[in-house]
Amino acid sequence: MTTTPTASLAERKRQLVADELTRAALGLLAQKGFDAVTVDEIAACAGMSKRTFFRYFASKEDVVVQFLAGLGAGMRAELASRPAGEPPSAALRHAVRACVDACAGQAERTLRVVRLILGTPALHARFLEHQAQWRDELAAELAARLGLDAAALHPRLAAGTALTAFDVVLQQWSSGDGSEDPAALTDRAFATLAPALDATPR
Amino acid sequence: MTTTPTASLAERKRQLVADELTRAALGLLAQKGFDAVTVDEIAACAGMSKRTFFRYFASKEDVVVQFLAGLGAGMRAELASRPAGEPPSAALRHAVRACVDACAGQAERTLRVVRLILGTPALHARFLEHQAQWRDELAAELAARLGLDAAALHPRLAAGTALTAFDVVLQQWSSGDGSEDPAALTDRAFATLAPALDATPR
DNA sequence: CCTCGCGTGTCACCAAGTGTCAAGGAGGTC
DNA sequence: GACCTCCTTGACACTTGGTGACACGCGAGG
């Protein structure tokens, strides 16, 4: 049940196809723009049919946005792994930093994708939708840390505020030439926001 | 205020048709769900053709989201009209309050629309896209007030944080039975966030 | 009476997705 | 090697969102 070699093989084959589709898609989309490329084109460029594309990605937006899919999970995991005594501002800062550092790690690739997303309304919308999901998850994690109700105002506000910082940092980073250090931007943002994040909820 | 009567007449006719389409759409969508209603249906219910629908609304999402379209402009106008000496937290609070009060003014209608939006991924995405636009506008206004660069970190953070508050308040309000006072929620949220909004940018 | 402008309906068309079915390859059994 | 089974894929048809082109009807003004 754990990891039979056959399952692992099938899984790797699947991953291979997905990677090829992603590669073809990112290349074409970055070059010609989101609306000017059809799914048929992407599939043909990857050497398969449109139907296969949709077996791997739920939508044309998905192939771009899923490139960032792991970030949300990583952020929540990082937040969950922070020591319990740490103030929320520091814990959230580390969580966002985990994300930002992952992005900065493959800077040129990430920059291309982020610019594509921020410059394409349809993609931006999907990205924000993902972020809304992350916000709920971060809020739940935060509520657990603080012993509060997950539906309360404060954890949601704090999670949303932290994600706003992430958003602004991405925007700032991608609008420049990429030379600005996103980690430093993140720390500056959290220095401003810390008092609100650590406030005692009434 | 009114310009020439002829232009006003055409404008009012247009508005009439748009209202009829909106009415038909909101009725059907709230009743059957977003995906279960086709544009053909909406148009037929309003007594016109699909083509006409798309002459009034850019997309199926638009007919729902445009119902809230004025909010962003109202928020920015309110922010612009606040006295220059007021601290950012108070000015932003009043701006968001203007929005929230407008929503609370037609509570049952707004609640229906907001629940529809928050419960439909496609609509939620479009809504967030609008909000991103508002954020840029609020940041620009704020930068002008504070004499900062509109692309700087601080105005964007403050605008995003204020909108997070708006978002959380809407979410909280719509998830309850509507009896909770959104204005009070807004004030509580801003009480937490104020120190971050009024912080001096470095 | 004509015609000009405007809004609308009709039709054709493209692209995003989805359901369905048949073909083919990888692996296991006799 | 023959057979069977599972899984992936391609081909095709279909629905729906959305757009472009054109024709029709109608009121205003010559």
Side-chain angles (χ1 to χ4, degrees):
Chain A
M1 184 58 181
T2 55
T3 55
T4 76
T6 65
S8 161
L9 175 62
E11 201 49 48
R12 271 179 297 170
K13 275 166 69 178
R14 237 191 114 71
Q15 190 59 48
L16 213 65
V17 177
D19 285 348
E20 180 60 19
L21 279 170
T22 302
R23 192 198 55 74
L26 290 187
L28 284 175
L29 293 177
Q31 175 198 343
K32 303 175 59 177
F34 187 77
D35 293 327
V37 177
T38 70
V39 174
D40 274 306
E41 247 179 302
I42 296 172
C45 176
M48 39 198 101
S49 74
K50 183 182 80 163
R51 196 63 187 87
T52 297
F53 176 94
F54 284 110
R55 288 193 177 99
Y56 283 83
F57 300 99
S59 68
K60 190 174 148 191
E61 290 96 31
D62 203 33
V63 70
V64 182
V65 172
Q66 199 165 88
F67 179 64
L68 307 172
L71 293 185
M75 209 156 52
R76 180 176 191 173
E78 180 68 18
L79 178 60
S81 78
R82 300 303 306 175
E86 199 171 41
S89 66
L92 283 169
R93 180 168 58 85
H94 280 109
V96 171
R97 273 293 298 271
C99 228
V100 165
D101 293 345
C103 289
Q106 0 183 339
E108 83 284 3
R109 186 178 167 95
T110 305
L111 265 181
R112 250 188 30 217
V113 175
V114 169
R115 288 197 179 118
L116 183 62
I117 290 177
L118 295 184
T120 307
L123 287 173
H124 196 190
R126 295 285 179 159
F127 174 62
L128 292 174
E129 218 182 322
H130 271 252
Q131 262 200 192
Q133 178 78 28
W134 300 354
R135 198 178 71 185
D136 288 346
E137 295 174 8
L138 281 186
E141 190 62 47
L142 213 54
R145 281 177 70 92
L146 301 174
L148 297 173
D149 184 356
L153 212 54
H154 185 71
R156 287 181 190 277
L157 274 179
T161 303
L163 281 173
T164 295
F166 177 62
D167 226 38
V168 169
V169 166
L170 271 194
Q171 201 175 337
Q172 198 85 356
W173 181 44
S174 73
S175 73
D177 59 355
S179 64
E180 204 156 10
D181 179 15
L185 283 174
T186 307
D187 288 347
R188 274 176 53 206
F190 272 89
T192 302
L193 299 175
L197 298 177
D198 292 330
T200 308
R202 329 192 172 190
Chain B
M1 186 58 164
T2 59
T3 56
T4 76
T6 64
S8 160
L9 175 63
E11 204 47 50
R12 271 179 296 170
K13 275 166 69 180
R14 233 191 119 70
Q15 191 58 47
L16 212 65
V17 177
D19 285 350
E20 181 61 20
L21 279 170
T22 302
R23 192 197 54 77
L26 290 187
L28 284 175
L29 294 176
Q31 176 198 342
K32 304 174 60 178
F34 187 77
D35 293 327
V37 178
T38 69
V39 175
D40 273 308
E41 247 179 302
I42 296 173
C45 176
M48 39 198 98
S49 75
K50 182 182 82 162
R51 196 65 188 85
T52 298
F53 176 93
F54 283 109
R55 288 194 177 101
Y56 283 83
F57 300 100
S59 69
K60 189 174 151 191
E61 290 95 29
D62 203 33
V63 70
V64 182
V65 172
Q66 198 166 87
F67 179 64
L68 307 172
L71 293 184
M75 208 155 56
R76 180 177 191 173
E78 180 68 18
L79 178 61
S81 78
R82 301 302 307 174
E86 201 171 40
S89 66
L92 283 169
R93 180 168 58 85
H94 281 109
V96 172
R97 273 294 298 271
C99 228
V100 166
D101 292 346
C103 288
Q106 4 182 338
E108 82 285 0
R109 187 179 167 95
T110 305
L111 265 181
R112 252 188 28 217
V113 175
V114 169
R115 289 198 178 116
L116 184 61
I117 291 177
L118 295 184
T120 309
L123 288 173
H124 196 190
R126 293 287 179 156
F127 174 61
L128 292 173
E129 216 182 323
H130 270 253
Q131 263 199 199
Q133 177 77 27
W134 301 353
R135 197 177 73 185
D136 288 344
E137 295 175 6
L138 281 186
E141 189 62 46
L142 213 54
R145 280 176 70 90
L146 300 175
L148 297 172
D149 184 356
L153 212 55
H154 185 71
R156 287 181 190 276
L157 275 179
T161 303
L163 281 173
T164 296
F166 176 63
D167 227 37
V168 170
V169 165
L170 270 193
Q171 201 176 339
Q172 199 85 355
W173 182 45
S174 73
S175 73
D177 59 356
S179 65
E180 205 156 7
D181 179 16
L185 283 174
T186 307
D187 288 346
R188 273 176 55 205
F190 272 89
T192 302
L193 299 176
L197 299 177
D198 292 331
T200 307
R202 333 187 170 194

